[in-house]
Each structure stands twice: as C-alpha cells, then as structure tokens.
Amino acid sequence: MARTDAQRAEHDSGPIPDDVRAAVDAALDRKATRVTLMDLRGVGAFADFFLICTGTNIRQVQAIADAIEEKLKAEGHRPAHVEGYDRAEWILLDYFDLIVHVFTPDTREFYALDRLWGTAPRTELAVDAR
C-alpha cells in the first residue's frame, strides 16, 4: 500500500497495537469502504486511534460494527460504550484508546469527522489493500 509523508509519520508514534489492527481487519472483512485509521497519539486527543469506515446501508453498518465487536471480544476487549446501533446511521464503539465510527455514506459526509483531526497521521485502507 502506497503511503504519503503524513501516513509515514504514524510510525513516529510507535507501532499500531494488535487490537487496532484486528478492528481494521474486521471492518475490511465485512467489506467496509473508505476505511481510515487516524493515529491521534501525537495530537493530544482523548483517544489514541479513530477508525472511521462506511457501510453501504444500515444492515451493512450493523454487520461491520458486529464484526469489530466480535473480533475484539475474542481478544478480550469489550467496548465501554456503544451508541447508535438501532438507527445504524452512525455506530460508535468506544474502546477508550480506540474509537470506532461506522457510518452510512450520507451521515459520514454530513459529520465529516475525517476533517476534524486534519493534522493527525492517517492511513486509508481498501479491501484489496491487505
């Protein structure tokens, strides 16, 4: 996968933890699109990582969130908080150091979380990038 200078800066903060990689893998396994991992360790945020991804419809958004939750649960991690599951336009899974956001396309465009942390190193991933 090709990286920009900003994406290479992610390694300056240290390696990506296994649980974060597992969440990314679970999202990609469920065919999430526009998968973005933001490393917030160097920008003074309340979490170390944001995983932002998109499902094409409400059922897929729920399936992506379920897959992430199941994969991390198998590794001994449970979310402290889950929000938005019933409406499934934006599901938030809070693992303290990792915050997962799973959106429908319109909701992701409306809230534009990707732009809020503009200086954070980010890695854009695709299903075929693994």
Side-chain angles (χ1 to χ4, degrees):
M1 153 177 42
R3 292 175 178 242
T4 65
D5 289 338
Q7 292 166 335
R8 283 186 203 98
E10 140 188 19
H11 296 289
D12 294 344
S13 299
I16 296 172
D18 291 340
D19 59 330
V20 175
R21 288 189 186 280
V24 169
D25 288 343
L28 292 172
D29 286 346
R30 289 292 183 259
K31 308 293 188 237
T33 60
R34 296 182 56 206
V35 179
T36 303
L37 180 62
M38 300 179 77
D39 186 340
L40 304 174
R41 292 177 286 188
V43 296
F46 51 89
D48 290 343
F49 293 93
F50 268 12
L51 174 58
I52 304 171
C53 58
T54 304
T56 57
N57 57 54
I58 290 172
R59 288 180 194 235
Q60 187 186 20
V61 167
Q62 289 174 329
I64 293 166
D66 289 344
I68 292 168
E69 195 168 356
E70 288 170 20
K71 185 132 187 175
L72 292 182
K73 182 179 178 184
E75 295 186 5
H77 305 285
R78 295 180 186 268
H81 186 70
V82 176
E83 193 163 326
Y85 190 87
D86 292 335
R87 290 196 60 198
E89 292 176 359
W90 175 2
I91 298 177
L92 181 140
L93 303 168
D94 182 352
Y95 289 93
F96 295 114
D97 291 340
L98 168 66
I99 308 293
V100 178
H101 303 272
V102 187
F103 289 102
T104 59
D106 290 341
T107 306
R108 183 169 182 171
E109 290 304 314
F110 181 80
Y111 288 102
L113 285 187
D114 309 57
R115 287 182 253 158
L116 288 177
W117 304 99
T119 61
R122 65 190 71 217
T123 303
E124 305 288 334
L125 303 156
V127 173
D128 59 351
R130 292 188 291 160

